[in-house]
């Protein structure tokens, strides 16, 4: 069982649709992350939230809009996506973002997104 | 910039045998952390083992152990008594240990491990 829960598991959307991915953790972690992973490739960091504030945006297109309503929830709002955005989207959390603490990332099972 | 290299795209091992996955990294930092993550077909990235660079002792977790060679910048993963459930993609990852650094993991390209019954 994963301690980071992502919904939905699968999502198919058209290029004009608006959808959201949801991530939830109840481990008291204060840092949350979105990663994008293409098939047989390593995950690529998209966003980092630390204490509910956006601390990193890895130059992600504005058609991806993250939101952190509280310390347990992380959303990724999707709008006007392109077929090349089809991928596995992984959410992760860690106890603290600071580099001086060995707080490994805990990942969810991901949402498999297909853009048609 | 830091880089992580996994030179074995695919590996295969017989059940109950031992296999070693290679990972090398490049950094000018002296304080950092290294990780091995496993990603089975279920898609979840699972932390297998981690190593602090300042610790000389190699980390072990049950059947999993690492050979950490700091001078050579090598961090290999040894899986003993391989089991069918070990079949997965294995990613080596690096994270800076300096204050102000984000918890940004730098991943290698992965090694796909098959376990033969």
């Amino acid at each position: 069982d994963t301690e980071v829960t992502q919904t939905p598991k699968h999502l198919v959307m058209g290029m004009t649709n608006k959808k959201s991915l949801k991530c939830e953790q109840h481990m008291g972690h204060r840092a949350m992350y979105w990663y994008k992973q293409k098939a047989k490739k390593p995950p690529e960091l998209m966003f980092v939230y630390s204490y509910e504030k956006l601390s990193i945006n890895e130059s992600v297109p504005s058609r991806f809009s993250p939101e952190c309503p509280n310390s347990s929830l992380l959303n990724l709002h999707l709008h006007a996506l392109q077929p090349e955005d089809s991928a596995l989207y992984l959410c992760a959390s860690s106890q603290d973002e600071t580099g001086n603490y060995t707080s490994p990332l805990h990942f969810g099972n991901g949402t498999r997104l297909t853009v048609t | 910039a830091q880089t992580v290299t996994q030179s074995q795209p695919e590996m295969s091992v017989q059940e109950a045998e031992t296999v070693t996955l290679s990972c090398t990294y490049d950094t000018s930092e002296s304080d950092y952390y290294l990780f091995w993550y496993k990603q089975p077909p279920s898609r979840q990235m699972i932390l297998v083992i981690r190593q602090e660079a300042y610790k000389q002792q190699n980390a072990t977790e049950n059947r999993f152990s690492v050979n950490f060679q700091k001078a050579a910048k090598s961090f290999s993963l040894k899986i003993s008594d391989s089991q069918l459930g070990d079949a997965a993609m294995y990613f080596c990852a690096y994270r800076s240990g300096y204050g102000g650094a984000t918890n940004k993991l730098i991943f290698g390209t992965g090694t796909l491990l098959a376990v033969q019954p």
Side-chain angles (χ1 to χ4, degrees):
Chain A
D1 288 342
T2 178
E3 297 168 318
V4 178
T5 304
Q6 289 187 244
T7 55
K9 291 184 180 179
H10 301 273
L11 178 62
V12 179
M13 62 184 290
M15 289 188 285
T16 59
N17 291 159
K18 285 185 180 181
K19 296 286 184 183
S20 296
L21 309 185
K22 181 179 175 180
C23 175
E24 192 168 1
Q25 59 88 12
H26 295 289
M27 295 178 283
H29 289 176
R30 302 314 301 268
M32 296 186 77
Y33 311 76
W34 280 115
Y35 281 83
K36 173 182 177 180
Q37 187 179 24
K38 290 283 207 179
K40 298 186 179 180
K41 297 289 185 184
E44 299 172 9
L45 182 65
M46 299 175 72
F47 303 104
V48 180
Y49 272 82
S50 178
Y51 292 86
E52 299 159 48
K53 287 184 169 45
L54 183 64
S55 63
I56 290 183
N57 176 341
E58 291 283 298
S59 302
V60 178
S62 60
R63 56 186 185 269
F64 295 91
S65 175
E67 178 196 18
C68 190
N70 59 57
S71 59
S72 300
L73 286 175
L74 184 67
N75 299 320
L76 186 62
H77 303 298
L78 315 172
H79 174 54
L81 294 192
Q82 303 297 310
E84 58 265 29
D85 296 322
S86 298
L88 179 67
Y89 288 84
L90 292 164
C91 175
S93 69
S94 67
Q95 184 164 351
D96 193 284
E97 186 194 359
T98 59
N100 286 332
Y101 186 85
T102 54
S103 49
L105 271 63
H106 296 254
F107 286 85
N109 282 350
T111 294
R112 178 80 64 194
L113 175 67
T114 303
V115 182
T116 60
Chain B
Q2 296 81 27
T3 58
V4 177
T5 301
Q6 292 179 250
S7 58
Q8 306 153 315
E10 297 183 12
M11 293 280 286
S12 182
V13 64
Q14 291 291 129
E15 201 174 359
E17 296 294 308
T18 295
V19 65
T20 298
L21 308 183
S22 301
C23 173
T24 58
Y25 58 95
D26 189 25
T27 184
S28 58
E29 298 175 334
S30 59
D31 185 19
Y32 51 87
Y33 307 99
L34 297 165
F35 305 86
W36 277 99
Y37 277 89
K38 164 187 176 182
Q39 189 175 37
S42 65
R43 312 180 319 200
Q44 185 189 6
M45 295 279 284
I46 301 166
L47 177 66
V48 175
I49 199 164
R50 61 181 167 179
Q51 175 81 42
E52 292 89 344
Y54 61 85
K55 288 187 177 179
Q56 293 190 350
Q57 186 174 6
N58 289 325
T60 62
E61 286 287 342
N62 301 314
R63 298 182 295 107
F64 299 88
S65 62
V66 297
N67 184 3
F68 174 48
Q69 301 289 326
K70 191 172 183 177
K73 295 179 182 174
S74 172
F75 182 61
S76 61
L77 174 69
K78 185 171 84 171
I79 306 174
S80 304
D81 185 26
S82 297
Q83 300 175 0
L84 295 176
D86 294 333
M89 180 73 88
Y90 286 80
F91 291 101
C92 179
Y94 170 103
R95 180 170 71 76
S96 173
Y98 286 92
T102 65
N103 212 338
K104 180 176 179 178
L105 285 175
I106 299 170
F107 288 95
T109 50
T111 296
L112 183 62
L113 177 67
V115 180
Q116 308 298 330

